[in-house]
Amino acid sequence: LQIENEDYIIDIQHLIEREDQTTYGLLQVNPNDPNEISYGTSNENSTSKYIRYNLLTQQKQTILEDFKINNLTWGKKDWILFTDTYNMFKIKSNGDSLSVFGDHTWLNPKWNAAGDKFVVSLKFQSHREIKNIEGETIKTISNPGWNLKNYTWSHPEYFVTYDHKNIKIIDLDNNKLIKHIKAPFVNQTTQLSLFHQVSWKSETELIITRTGAIYTYNIETDEIKHISCD
């Protein structure tokens, strides 16, 4: 895995002190500082940690230990939300103020760009709920055509929901579908047959991954560019 910005490319495997059979996941970039990341580790002895890491100073801080984290999101107001097998929790990014937040029916939280609202799936329910920073429900996303398996909400205006064959960009404030991208998506130079993971690169560009390749997609011009990671 590599983190890239204007000044450097860093191979995480060489940055982080590691033991054999250690696995890494749940990578997040600090929404207030692109030089800082957080990530989870686990090893063959079932020891798990969630760590905050500064790419410039190489300082590490363990935020959590011995939690089986399923989903995690780091918000602009410096709160991290995460779920384990039974509950959702809220914690400051420095490891302070850990508390149970919500209940066991809240799954896969995602902060919005401002960090003042988040969206959750609900166990055994077909709709999703938008909640404020206190956990109070302020809106329900009930349109079944929008509730695809995966979603991201880091854009200041748009919510994205997607599966392997569809990407839907939605204006939640006006309850409006902005764009529906279907696979296979074809332009003059590129064909995208499957979508694996989708996130925002900028306010007008998505990053789309599929097996063996990464692309950017401009939502205004429909331009697709292949990103070489070799």
Side-chain angles (χ1 to χ4, degrees), residues 30 36-39 50-54 59-63 74 78 92-95:
N30 184 340
E36 194 167 62
I37 63 171
S38 61
Y39 59 90
Y50 199 74
I51 294 168
R52 180 174 175 169
Y53 186 85
N54 189 294
Q59 290 182 319
K60 287 195 294 186
Q61 177 194 2
T62 297
I63 302 171
W74 189 347
D78 215 30
K92 280 290 188 180
S93 67
N94 63 1

Side-chain angles (χ1 to χ4, degrees), residues 1-3 5 8-18 24-41 49-64 72 74 78 80 93-95:
L1 176 66
Q2 291 187 330
I3 300 291
N5 71 11
Y8 48 74
I9 298 175
I10 297 175
D11 188 335
I12 296 300
Q13 290 183 344
H14 297 298
L15 262 176
I16 301 167
E17 296 176 5
R18 57 180 298 174
Y24 297 88
L26 300 167
L27 178 67
Q28 296 273 301
V29 177
N30 184 340
N32 298 302
D33 181 1
N35 294 312
E36 194 167 62
I37 63 171
S38 61
Y39 59 90
T41 69
K49 294 181 179 180
Y50 199 74
I51 294 168
R52 180 174 175 169
Y53 186 85
N54 189 294
L55 296 168
L56 296 180
T57 66
Q58 301 185 19
Q59 290 182 319
K60 287 195 294 186
Q61 177 194 2
T62 297
I63 302 171
L64 290 163
L72 184 141
W74 189 347
D78 215 30
I80 291 174
S93 67
N94 63 1

Side-chain angles (χ1 to χ4, degrees), residues 67-84:
F67 274 87
K68 185 178 180 181
I69 301 174
N70 296 324
N71 303 108
L72 184 141
T73 181
W74 189 347
K76 186 79 172 175
K77 295 186 181 294
D78 215 30
W79 282 106
I80 291 174
L81 302 178
F82 70 94
T83 59
D84 68 359

Side-chain angles (χ1 to χ4, degrees), residues 151-163:
Y151 50 94
T152 182
W153 199 22
S154 57
H155 192 281
E157 294 182 63
Y158 300 143
F159 179 82
V160 171
T161 180
Y162 63 96
D163 59 19

